[in-house]
Amino acid sequence: MALAVAGVTVPATAAAPVTGPDVTFLKTIHQGNLAEIATAKDAQEHTTSACVKQAANMFVRDHTEFDAQVMALARSESITLPSTAAAAQQKQLTKLKSLHGKRVYNRVWLRDQDTSHRQALALIDKEVSSGKDTEIRAIAQAARPTVAKHLQAVSGGICPLNFPRDAEGVDGGA
C-alpha cells in the first residue's frame, strides 16, 4: 500500500458526498498503510539484513506520506477511517514479532510484503479503473508507481536490491 503521492491536492470542499466503493477504497488503503508502517518499523528494528532494512526504510517513508494524504482526503470528505489495521494484518504483525531473532524473520517479512503489495496494487488498479470520485481515483493513480516500486523491492519474497544475498535471497543471513 505505499506511496509518495506528490502533486495531489485535496480541496477543502467536495462537490458530492463520496459513497460506496470509493469509501471502501480509502478505508482499506488506510488500513493497509497502517499495517505496512507497523511491519516496516518492526523490520527496521529486528532485521539483520541491509536489504530488508533499506526496503523497510522506504516503506515507512512512503506509506507515511501516502497515509497522510489519504487521511486529509478522508477528512475533507467527512469519511471516518478505521483507527487500526484489519484483524488479519494485526495477526500478521503478531506472527512477525514471534520471529524476532530467528533466521526465518527476513524471509517471512519479504514474503508477507510481496503479498500485501500485490493486494494493494490490485486495489489501486480497481479504484483507478472503476472509482467514481475523481480525487480518490487521482490519489490511487498517483500512488500506483510507488506501490509497483515497493513490490519490485520484495518481488517473489526475495530481496533483489543491490546487496549481496545469501542462499535464501536475503543478505546478512539472519
Side-chain angles (χ1 to χ4, degrees):
M1 315 204 130
L3 337 81
V5 184
V8 175
T9 57
V10 179
T13 59
V18 178
T19 59
D22 291 317
V23 171
T24 300
F25 170 79
L26 282 182
K27 289 180 178 183
T28 304
I29 208 75
H30 172 65
Q31 287 182 301
N33 283 329
L34 293 176
E36 293 300 332
I37 293 164
T39 58
K41 284 182 176 182
D42 190 78
Q44 286 176 320
E45 291 183 37
H46 298 285
T47 187
T48 56
S49 163
C51 185
V52 169
K53 188 169 194 92
Q54 182 182 10
N57 291 342
M58 176 175 59
F59 291 4
V60 168
R61 179 194 67 229
D62 295 347
H63 284 279
T64 299
E65 279 183 39
F66 182 47
D67 204 47
Q69 294 169 357
V70 168
M71 290 187 303
L73 182 55
R75 214 174 8 262
S76 76
E77 299 287 350
S78 299
I79 297 168
T80 302
L81 296 175
S83 60
T84 61
Q89 294 163 327
Q90 292 176 26
K91 184 178 177 182
Q92 180 185 25
L93 180 58
T94 299
K95 177 183 78 175
L96 188 64
K97 287 181 176 189
S98 75
L99 301 174
H100 289 170
K102 297 181 181 169
R103 180 172 175 79
V104 71
Y105 178 92
N106 294 324
R107 187 72 166 163
V108 169
W109 186 84
L110 288 164
R111 187 195 65 226
D112 288 351
Q113 293 305 307
D114 178 81
T115 299
S116 65
H117 282 86
R118 286 181 193 282
Q119 292 168 346
L121 206 51
L123 182 66
I124 287 169
D125 287 345
K126 182 177 178 186
E127 179 62 27
V128 167
S129 68
S130 62
K132 303 298 180 214
D133 185 272
T134 57
E135 293 167 80
I136 296 173
R137 271 197 337 267
I139 204 170
Q141 181 81 36
R144 193 186 193 291
T146 305
V147 174
K149 179 181 176 183
H150 286 196
L151 179 56
Q152 195 173 31
V154 296
S155 186
I158 60 169
C159 210
L161 298 173
N162 296 324
F163 289 98
R165 295 182 301 273
D166 65 12
E168 293 185 34
V170 178
D171 72 299

